[in-house]
Amino acid sequence: MKKYLYFFLILFSFVLNAQDKPKLVVGIVVDQMKMEYLYRFSNDFSNNGFKKLMAKGFTFHNMHYNYMPTYTAPGHAAIFTGALPNVNGIVGNDWFNKATGKEMYCTDDASVTTLVEGTESEGKMSPKNLFSTTITDELKLATNFKSKVIGISIKDRGAILPAGHFADWAFWYTKTGNFISSSFYGNKLPDWTIQFNEEKNYLKYIEKGWDLLKPKETYNESLNDNNPYEGKLFKKTPFFPYDTKEMFTNNDAGVLRTTPYGNNLIADFAKKAIENEKMGADEITDFLTLSFSSTDYVGHVLGPRSIELQDTYLRLDETIADFLTYLDEKVGKGNYLVFLTADHAGAENATYLKDNKYEVESLNSKNLQQSIIDFSQKTFGENMLLDYSNFNIFINKEKVNQKGLVLNDVKQKIKTFLLSQNFISNVFTEEEIQNSGSNNQLLQIISNGYDPKQNGELVLLFKPGFMEYSSTGTTHGSPYSYDTHVPCLFYGWKIKKGESFNKKTITQIAPTLAQKLKITMPNGTQSEVLEEVLNK
């Protein structure tokens, strides 16, 4: 009898454990974070931030984006939908709309209004341009909308796209210093958000100024302060310390974005959301998405080898350490699941590479566009370029018809011209992209990011190392590893310590979470999972 009772208790325990869920999932996206930073800055990190996630969680060392362009909006969409841009519809941060003949922004929505007076241009946003469901959407559906889902970011797209279509709220920061949202989510901001805004919490960081967190000799993984590859921060010479009060006086509260303190403010606001929305307070799983964007702003202006960027990551490490401690106390150890990744990585500064005898350079997109126009006028007697953006060339089909030309001939002649440029690796036509059943990996990556309804007739591929940007700072967007290789860390609820060096793709994260939570996968995903964090 005792033997059967013991067996029953074991079975009951197994079933109980198999059915439990985390109280809270926290999805962290660090904007423009290269996997390399976890290695390069490791000696200067604390033991309680990034190192804790790696030491006690699971690290995927070889996680990559599997499409182009590697930009912020497509990155956030891919992480949370598990779908490629050719399915989820987010093919850029903004892109040329063939139907209207105008540029459109990824989260623009003229049908909604801002919930904070004075932020009309920043507040008319929603996820309506996202075609696929997100893992956060599927959690809402799985719990009959009882789960709380909130997205928070400095950037609107970093809050809105991860939170999905059914989110309770998405909040983003504006140049007024307020966190705002739109009428897509409700008719009025929650009282706690209004109070947070009224407290002007951003001022405490602006008044601090920005100096180095640690002694200057700590930053030997970076180039010297005020090196020639750094841009100016709000017209100020890139040299510590920065007088953020003066920068604020001469600009607006948006200056906080391009300092590490933008990340601190996100964490402060996230804690208020958890407390006031009672996230992780019961047995129904909630989902909080956080996008730390200041790393991207600093990287763009000052570059990947700047002391400013290293200081931003050392401070973010402290912010993450503090937030993990907060989750332990508020939600409870073992009750929450955290994953951390990035929406894209970033290139080395091309001028820096050239100065060190690697023959690459920064390209001027306006010059490239003008060269296409000049060639078109010389060859066809008229400008056939409708738009050039996001590596896409849109041809004016109406003019082609008016001139009695054949569209395919026009495409081929422009392609031949572009292939004659030393910085162009290849040019693909829309037909080649849509029929990319070849073994050309780069063509497949381009195809993964190509929506025939929203992309151009030709797509350019630069040679490695070349980029369209200024001679200072950096950017991203290419299909090369320096833009695709990002961290992927899992930590907390039912995550065993471990690491993998096998190549993984960013679209595996969302379906993995779905399997982990035992809910339906997002509807656009390819359903490939990260088995290493599913095995118990």
Side-chain angles (χ1 to χ4, degrees):
M1 185 68 178
K2 288 183 178 179
K3 182 173 73 173
Y4 290 117
L5 180 60
Y6 177 76
F7 176 79
F8 175 79
L9 290 173
I10 292 293
L11 181 63
F12 178 78
S13 176
F14 174 80
V15 172
L16 188 64
N17 288 331
Q19 292 178 339
D20 65 351
K21 302 281 179 72
K23 291 185 175 182
L24 179 66
V25 179
V26 181
I28 298 174
V29 181
V30 183
D31 207 324
Q32 202 188 120
M33 185 175 186
K34 298 155 70 85
M35 182 65 193
E36 178 219 350
Y37 295 150
L38 288 177
Y39 309 141
R40 198 204 307 175
F41 305 144
S42 177
N43 291 338
D44 304 320
F45 286 147
S46 71
N47 291 321
N48 300 313
F50 290 119
K51 282 185 176 179
K52 184 175 183 178
L53 294 176
M54 296 178 75
K56 297 187 177 181
F58 199 98
T59 302
F60 292 95
H61 290 270
N62 200 14
M63 173 63 72
H64 286 266
Y65 275 85
N66 49 345
Y67 62 80
M68 172 185 145
T70 41
Y71 293 147
T72 296
H76 283 80
I79 293 165
F80 288 89
T81 63
L84 298 164
N86 63 7
V87 173
N88 67 44
I90 304 299
V91 295
N93 292 333
D94 44 36
W95 58 90
F96 183 74
N97 186 311
K98 289 181 177 179
T100 64
K102 298 178 181 179
E103 291 287 323
M104 65 175 285
Y105 182 64
C106 57
T107 52
D108 268 347
D109 187 350
S111 71
V112 302
T113 57
T114 182
L115 299 185
V116 178
E117 187 177 346
T119 63
E120 284 73 20
S121 63
E122 298 176 275
K124 296 169 74 66
M125 305 285 171
S126 85
K128 78 166 190 175
N129 298 320
L130 181 65
F131 298 157
S132 310
T133 61
T134 59
I135 183 63
T136 47
D137 286 334
E138 296 299 340
L139 179 63
K140 293 288 283 190
L141 291 170
T143 61
N144 290 323
F145 289 77
K146 294 177 183 177
S147 292
K148 278 282 179 73
V149 170
I150 294 177
I152 301 170
S153 177
I154 288 288
K155 297 179 180 180
D156 45 51
R157 55 190 182 269
I160 292 169
L161 298 173
H165 303 86
F166 307 139
D168 295 272
W169 287 102
F171 301 104
W172 54 97
Y173 184 73
T174 74
K175 61 186 179 182
T176 65
N178 291 321
F179 280 93
I180 67 169
S181 193
S182 79
S183 58
F184 178 87
Y185 302 97
N187 297 320
K188 176 179 173 291
L189 285 180
D191 290 341
W192 64 267
T193 306
I194 295 172
Q195 181 180 347
F196 188 92
N197 287 340
E198 289 175 346
E199 291 169 355
K200 298 186 183 300
N201 286 276
Y202 65 92
L203 284 176
K204 67 182 177 184
Y205 293 113
I206 285 175
E207 290 169 356
K208 286 175 67 172
W210 181 15
D211 204 349
L212 291 172
L213 177 67
K214 297 187 177 185
K216 200 162 190 176
E217 56 268 22
T218 304
Y219 299 82
N220 57 0
E221 293 86 6
S222 302
L223 298 178
N224 292 332
D225 208 3
N226 192 19
N227 66 70
Y229 313 109
E230 297 178 295
K232 289 187 176 182
L233 199 60
F234 296 99
K235 299 181 180 180
K236 296 297 179 182
T237 300
F239 195 81
F240 282 102
Y242 288 93
D243 187 343
T244 49
K245 286 190 288 186
E246 181 185 357
M247 287 160 50
F248 168 64
T249 299
N250 294 332
N251 297 278
D252 51 49
V255 300
L256 197 71
R257 296 177 173 126
T258 320
T259 75
Y261 303 132
N263 295 332
N264 292 87
L265 193 66
I266 289 296
D268 293 344
F269 191 76
K271 291 177 185 177
K272 292 295 183 183
I274 291 172
E275 292 165 11
N276 288 278
E277 298 293 338
K278 296 180 172 52
M279 301 186 79
D282 56 31
E283 300 308 310
I284 300 173
T285 303
D286 298 320
F287 206 126
L288 175 68
T289 75
L290 300 178
S291 182
F292 292 112
S293 308
S294 290
T295 44
D296 183 69
Y297 286 105
V298 174
H300 274 299
V301 176
L302 297 157
R305 297 282 167 181
S306 65
I307 288 180
E308 286 85 350
L309 188 77
Q310 183 171 354
D311 194 67
T312 299
Y313 274 97
L314 298 190
R315 290 178 181 274
L316 178 58
D317 179 64
E318 288 195 341
T319 300
I320 289 173
D322 175 74
F323 195 69
L324 292 175
T325 300
Y326 171 83
L327 291 175
D328 284 343
E329 295 171 353
K330 192 69 180 178
V331 184
K333 292 183 179 180
N335 289 330
Y336 63 89
L337 171 64
V338 171
F339 71 91
L340 182 149
T341 187
D343 55 348
H344 51 76
E348 293 285 356
N349 177 273
T351 307
Y352 173 63
L353 295 179
K354 188 173 184 178
D355 286 349
N356 285 279
K357 301 181 181 180
Y358 180 17
E359 288 301 314
V360 296
E361 60 183 310
S362 293
L363 306 171
N364 187 309
S365 61
K366 290 183 179 179
N367 290 344
L368 176 55
Q369 181 172 324
Q370 188 60 50
S371 72
I372 299 170
I373 293 172
D374 291 344
F375 170 79
S376 178
Q377 290 175 330
K378 180 181 177 181
T379 307
F380 310 113
E382 192 158 357
N383 174 25
M384 296 298 176
L385 181 65
L386 189 61
D387 185 79
Y388 170 66
S389 55
N390 298 343
F391 309 102
N392 281 246
I393 291 175
F394 295 82
I395 295 174
N396 193 322
K397 296 178 183 178
E398 185 176 339
K399 284 187 177 180
V400 170
N401 291 333
Q402 288 174 353
K403 296 286 285 187
L405 300 172
V406 178
L407 179 60
N408 193 52
D409 290 343
V410 173
K411 284 190 285 188
Q412 290 300 326
K413 286 179 180 177
I414 294 175
K415 174 177 177 174
T416 300
F417 163 72
L418 288 167
L419 286 173
S420 70
Q421 309 302 305
N422 74 307
F423 55 88
I424 297 286
S425 173
N426 214 330
V427 181
F428 298 104
T429 66
E430 56 186 321
E431 291 81 11
E432 290 170 325
I433 294 169
Q434 292 184 72
N435 297 300
S436 58
S438 68
N439 294 323
N440 186 329
Q441 183 180 6
L442 289 174
L443 178 55
Q444 186 59 56
I445 288 174
I446 291 171
S447 176
N448 289 344
Y450 186 89
D451 179 352
K453 290 186 176 182
Q454 302 191 97
N455 286 92
E457 285 72 45
L458 297 168
V459 176
L460 310 185
L461 178 63
F462 297 148
K463 290 178 180 177
F466 287 87
M467 63 182 184
E468 288 179 299
Y469 207 63
S470 68
S471 60
T472 57
T474 193
T475 192
H476 46 85
S478 82
Y480 299 116
S481 62
Y482 51 78
D483 282 340
T484 66
H485 189 194
V486 295
C488 182
L489 314 175
F490 280 77
Y491 170 87
W493 177 80
K494 289 193 175 181
I495 299 295
K496 285 188 176 182
K497 175 183 175 181
E499 58 184 351
S500 169
F501 294 90
N502 295 327
K503 184 178 180 181
K504 307 294 182 180
T505 57
I506 205 72
T507 48
Q508 291 179 281
I509 293 176
T512 299
L513 289 168
Q515 293 272 279
K516 195 82 175 168
L517 299 175
K518 295 182 173 59
I519 62 176
T520 302
M521 291 183 181
N523 59 16
T525 184
Q526 294 178 317
S527 307
E528 295 178 354
V529 298
L530 303 167
E531 292 186 17
E532 295 87 341
V533 292
L534 294 176
N535 296 326
K536 294 181 181 178

